[in-house]
Amino acid sequence: MSVDGWHTLLVLGGIRSGKSEFAESLVADAPTVRYVATAPAGGPEDTEWAIRLATHRARRPGSWTTEETAANPGRLVEVIAAAGPNETLLVDDLGGWVTVLLDPAHQPADDTATIAELAAAVRSSTARLVLVSPEVGLSLVPTTPLGRAFTDALGAANRAVADACDAVALVVAGQAAWLKPAAPAPAHAVPPAATSPEAEPGRAAAPRTAPADLGAGDVTLPEVLTPAAAPVPAPATSDEPGTGDWAAPTMALPMIATGLVIQPGMELPMPDDYTGPQAVDRLATLDIPGAGLGVLEQVVGFAAATQGTSTPRPWDSVRVLLIQGDHEGGASAGAPAGESARRARQARAGRGALARLAAENRAGLQIVEAPVSAPMEERPALPADEVEAALRYGWRLAEQAADAGVQLLVLAACGAGAEAAAAAVLAATAGAEPPTVLGRVVTEQGEIDDAAWMVRCAAVRDALHRTRRSAREAKDVLAELGGGDIALATGVLLGATARKLPVLLDGPVGTAAAMVSRDLAGQARHWCLLPDHGGRPGVRLAADVLGLTPLVDLRLDLGEGATALAALPLLRSALTLAATLPVHPSLGGPDDDRDTGDEGSDAGRTDDEPDFAEPEPAGPGPTTIGSDEPVSPGRRAD
């Protein structure tokens, strides 16, 4: 849907205002819609009314189903109350419902009580619900008792339903005006103190959340750190062009009293099917010397589809989610004790490869502790209730990022035994042989530890044997094999998909989570981009199954998440070129070589041309101009 933070919406408008078309466009991205028709069929002699109804029917896609409620006005309340959290309902319209309600055949009746029941059903609905209604009261008061009764009842219904809905829109002459924004964040949403997109460099991290508390409604999410970039002697570069804020369309699934509903078959949004190919086709018209962007055209297409525009902008606001979660038992064979905790502390302090690369990319860094996973060869890695809690917690982390204006998530992980757990998930979901997807174990001294590798293979083998008769549903795989870190990462991917937030994957935890999320919501993989497989066999296999093509083959092994950050400047450069280069002169673009006849004049220049300044004489060292930012010799201060 196209508006943030709501799942119930009232669309008001006059006759022929376009309100129905507008309401239909809001649910066009839903795979299935139940259309609730409230108006009576009319008499056989009323051909004009029959034509109106036929026009409405012709606009509905074939995947929609229709439910008629004209025979019983109370049926509408029953339909709304019975709709589940994964259903989408379009009610068109309340004017027809009031007409039936006032019909003498349904009288005497307490119209006020019936309207109150409708408002209560809307308020408590767990479905995505759009209601259409005529706006009344903008003309003369009707001169007949029946006309006044209709306008009074419809006005009362509109007020009651508008109060119950998260948002209200008024359509006038085909133009929509939003009268009521999304409702305030419910209790499950991110607390205000936790939604700050930036934190002071060097600030201490918030206390780590106990695994048992992940699903609690009052949990404070981890602080978002801003690592400070290390001093570099090279001159500073100019600001990146073409970046800025944009309002990406988002959506969120409904909530119920017990929390977020995460289950197979969720209806989450897909990237735009048209803007991606349009952006790639547009590259052929740009003034690019040579053959063009090569495989980086995929980045342009991905960004265009996820941003919903054929001229995508480089990602300006980036957040790295570092998930720390250890696995006990043979999965962690060969891993130094306490290594993942040390890596997390290092990242909090702004040290290490991940924090340094995050600083260079101007990315926020959020460290999240996942529940410790039990030995999967002996018993389930995580209890079922903790799997649910970890999924919801990951979803909330993605929601927090989207609410803070983040435009790209980078999924990172550090945890003993995570690669073995990911291999077990791949074996369970893709039928892979564990030894073929489990990477070699490298010691701190850079040596290959084959003995530890064999212990890990045996742990995965025994876990698969233990669960050979268990269900292979997504949550069962997470509970038996995946554990806390993969469950939390799965929740992040699902939440990011719901909020239309693209994610860079980098490593076994992220790709294993993508495999599981595919079975919960098939749309999730389309919001993921894999810059590099890192030479890991499990990541290669998952990418092949998911249809993700790695963009580069750097074979960096800097820890999960760091490779994506190392490749991010290259991806941004491709988007910058796609957004700022002009059309080639042969296709109607500006000709930089044409003679203007006036040397030194600005005539013939385009707004896309950069304004260069002559370098100033080099002084003894960097200077400052009105700020604490060092300015290198030769750099112009704007």
Side-chain angles (χ1 to χ4, degrees):
M1 295 194 182
S2 60
V3 181
D4 299 354
W6 63 268
H7 71 272
T8 54
L9 167 68
L10 174 64
V11 178
L12 299 169
I15 298 173
R16 300 294 192 186
S17 63
K19 60 184 182 298
S20 294
E21 292 91 335
F22 175 74
E24 291 163 6
S25 71
L26 293 177
V27 297
D29 60 349
T32 59
V33 174
R34 184 157 28 143
Y35 185 96
V36 183
T38 62
E45 70 285 352
D46 195 348
T47 56
E48 188 273 338
W49 181 249
I51 293 174
R52 283 176 180 253
L53 296 182
T55 302
H56 276 257
R57 294 191 190 99
R59 285 203 307 263
R60 302 171 204 166
S63 61
W64 290 17
T65 60
T66 301
E67 172 127 10
E68 304 278 353
T69 65
N72 178 15
R75 176 60 182 158
L76 177 60
V77 175
E78 297 172 358
V79 169
I80 294 175
N86 290 326
E87 291 189 75
T88 301
L89 267 62
L90 173 56
V91 179
D92 194 357
D93 66 17
L94 294 186
W97 179 76
V98 169
T99 300
V100 175
L101 182 64
L102 297 179
D103 192 312
H106 301 292
Q107 296 295 325
D110 190 345
D111 301 337
T112 302
T114 306
I115 292 172
E117 291 172 0
L118 173 63
V122 171
R123 184 174 286 107
S124 60
S125 173
T126 62
R128 277 171 285 173
L129 176 63
V130 178
L131 303 103
V132 181
S133 184
E135 178 52 52
V136 296
L138 299 181
S139 61
L140 297 175
V141 176
T143 58
T144 64
L146 183 58
R148 289 192 293 271
F150 175 83
T151 55
D152 289 348
L154 184 55
N158 285 348
R159 291 183 60 179
V161 173
D163 182 68
C165 282
D166 299 329
V168 180
L170 174 64
V171 179
V172 179
Q175 308 301 309
W178 293 96
L179 307 182
K180 180 180 179 182
H188 68 276
V190 178
T195 58
S196 173
E198 303 295 341
E200 294 296 331
R203 279 179 60 183
R208 291 155 76 177
T209 305
D213 294 336
L214 286 183
D218 57 352
V219 169
T220 300
L221 299 184
E223 183 178 15
V224 180
L225 307 175
T226 307
V232 201
T237 59
S238 62
D239 292 337
E240 180 179 87
T243 59
D245 296 333
W246 70 79
T250 59
M251 80 178 272
L253 286 184
M255 304 291 298
I256 61 174
T258 56
L260 180 67
V261 179
I262 298 180
Q263 59 188 16
M266 290 188 296
E267 299 173 3
L268 299 184
M270 285 282 289
D272 195 304
D273 288 336
Y274 302 101
T275 54
Q278 287 173 355
V280 174
D281 292 343
R282 180 178 170 273
L283 294 176
T285 69
L286 301 184
D287 191 4
I288 300 178
L293 296 178
V295 296
L296 294 183
E297 289 184 352
Q298 298 178 40
V299 181
V300 178
F302 173 82
T306 54
Q307 294 178 24
T309 174
S310 59
T311 54
R313 298 183 181 182
W315 301 294
D316 184 47
S317 178
V318 180
R319 179 174 295 181
V320 182
L321 289 180
L322 174 59
I323 301 173
Q324 179 211 346
D326 289 339
H327 296 255
E328 297 176 339
S332 59
E339 177 67 8
S340 67
R342 185 182 74 84
R343 292 294 181 188
R345 290 194 302 270
Q346 186 183 61
R348 284 190 178 93
R351 300 190 302 270
L354 187 71
R356 295 292 189 187
L357 288 170
E360 292 302 318
N361 283 282
R362 307 184 306 279
L365 177 60
Q366 193 170 23
I367 298 97
V368 186
E369 182 183 8
V372 176
S373 304
M376 60 181 171
E377 65 270 30
E378 299 176 5
R379 58 184 184 275
L382 203 65
D385 59 335
E386 291 193 24
V387 170
E388 293 284 354
L391 287 170
R392 290 196 297 268
Y393 192 66
W395 186 298
R396 289 177 57 196
L397 289 168
E399 280 190 329
Q400 181 199 30
D403 291 339
V406 171
Q407 299 162 356
L408 179 71
L409 280 181
V410 178
L411 198 54
C414 65
E419 189 167 1
V425 170
L426 282 174
T429 57
E433 290 293 333
T436 65
V437 293
L438 191 55
R440 306 291 290 273
V441 179
V442 182
T443 67
E444 292 179 297
Q445 292 74 34
E447 300 175 350
I448 302 296
D449 189 344
D450 283 334
W453 179 82
M454 287 188 286
V455 173
R456 294 186 183 187
C457 284
V460 176
R461 177 203 63 198
D462 294 345
L464 293 172
H465 180 75
R466 179 184 62 79
T467 61
R468 64 191 182 279
R469 294 187 177 89
S470 300
R472 287 292 187 250
E473 299 294 333
K475 293 182 182 179
D476 299 311
V477 170
L478 292 174
E480 296 288 352
L481 306 170
D485 53 350
I486 298 178
L488 202 152
T490 302
V492 170
L493 294 182
L494 294 172
T497 301
R499 298 300 299 271
K500 298 188 177 181
L501 182 61
V503 181
L504 288 190
L505 300 181
D506 178 15
V509 170
T511 50
M515 291 290 293
V516 178
S517 66
R518 177 194 62 165
D519 296 333
L520 292 169
Q523 304 87 351
R525 65 185 179 90
H526 296 282
W527 295 91
C528 298
L529 187 68
L530 182 66
D532 190 2
H533 56 64
R536 298 177 182 269
V539 176
R540 278 203 201 98
L541 175 64
D544 186 58
V545 174
L546 294 167
L548 302 176
T549 304
L551 301 173
V552 295
D553 189 8
L554 301 177
R555 294 180 180 269
L556 295 178
D557 192 7
L558 303 173
E560 185 161 354
T563 298
L565 288 174
L568 183 56
L570 180 62
L571 310 186
R572 278 172 160 164
S573 296
L575 294 178
T576 298
L577 290 175
T580 59
L581 284 178
V583 174
H584 195 276
S586 64
L587 299 175
D591 187 355
D592 296 332
D593 294 330
R594 64 175 177 266
D595 184 7
T596 64
D598 183 9
E599 185 177 356
S601 171
D602 287 339
R605 290 184 53 187
T606 68
D607 293 338
D608 293 327
E609 298 178 26
D611 186 10
F612 295 103
E614 292 295 330
E616 300 174 0
T623 60
T624 60
I625 301 180
S627 70
D628 295 332
E629 180 188 5
V631 179
S632 301
R635 182 183 178 191
R636 186 170 71 94
D638 293 327

